[in-house]
Amino acid sequence: MIAQTRMRAGLGGSLLALALAGCSFSAVPDPSLSARDAAFMALVPEAEFDPHFARYRVDDPTQEPPGTVVVDTKARQLYLVEPGGKALRYGVTVGDEAYGWTGTATVTRKAEWPAWNPPAEMVRRWPHVHPMAGGAANPLGARALYLSDHGRDTLYRIHGTNEPEKIGQAVSSGCIRLRNIDVVDLFNRVPVGARVVVR
């Protein structure tokens, strides 16, 4: 009986090892931070974090050209496609069903610790929201990438968050949120003019 239990355990371990061998992923070091970044980020409370939504280099599942940013809203993952069949994967918060958006856009502007000016439609839904200067309390977090469609602002952003505990959920008002450390990493890699696909 003990031998059978050990054999089953060994078989289970072998199957797990075999399954993991088929997955190719590796951790990506944190980006360098400025003194301002470090000071503001220290003010955002630490949150429990599911490692499934950590930043990894993975085999590219998107079939998009290198340099493309792809957001998989169902999986709550953002991919930055790299050459050689690889991609950087970041966990995200996406818009809930009422406010979600899909389509193709272009990064037309980037900002560090951006000010937040909520659109009129959002203010009508939530009268308590108001414009805010950039900083740790600002819902746009450490960085923002502004998305346009044929030169027209979509009003959607890829940005940081002061609510890291919500990464992996569908609770935003439509924008794509990353942990602040992840959005700094993405910001450093994605140029203005990059193509963004939200699925």
Side-chain angles (χ1 to χ4, degrees), residues 142-159:
R143 303 287 190 272
L145 286 72
Y146 296 76
L147 306 181
S148 294
D149 181 11
H150 296 93
R152 183 177 176 183
D153 188 355
T154 64
L155 301 180
Y156 291 97
R157 315 285 184 242
I158 296 171
H159 63 81

Side-chain angles (χ1 to χ4, degrees), residues 46-87:
E46 290 288 328
E48 234 179 89
F49 184 64
D50 182 344
H52 175 69
F53 296 106
R55 184 174 65 254
Y56 293 111
R57 180 167 280 111
V58 299
D59 293 331
D60 173 36
T62 71
Q63 301 185 350
E64 294 287 346
T68 306
V69 175
V70 180
V71 180
D72 182 337
T73 58
K74 289 194 174 15
R76 323 284 198 252
Q77 301 283 1
L78 179 151
Y79 298 90
L80 173 58
V81 182
E82 297 184 312
K86 294 293 183 181

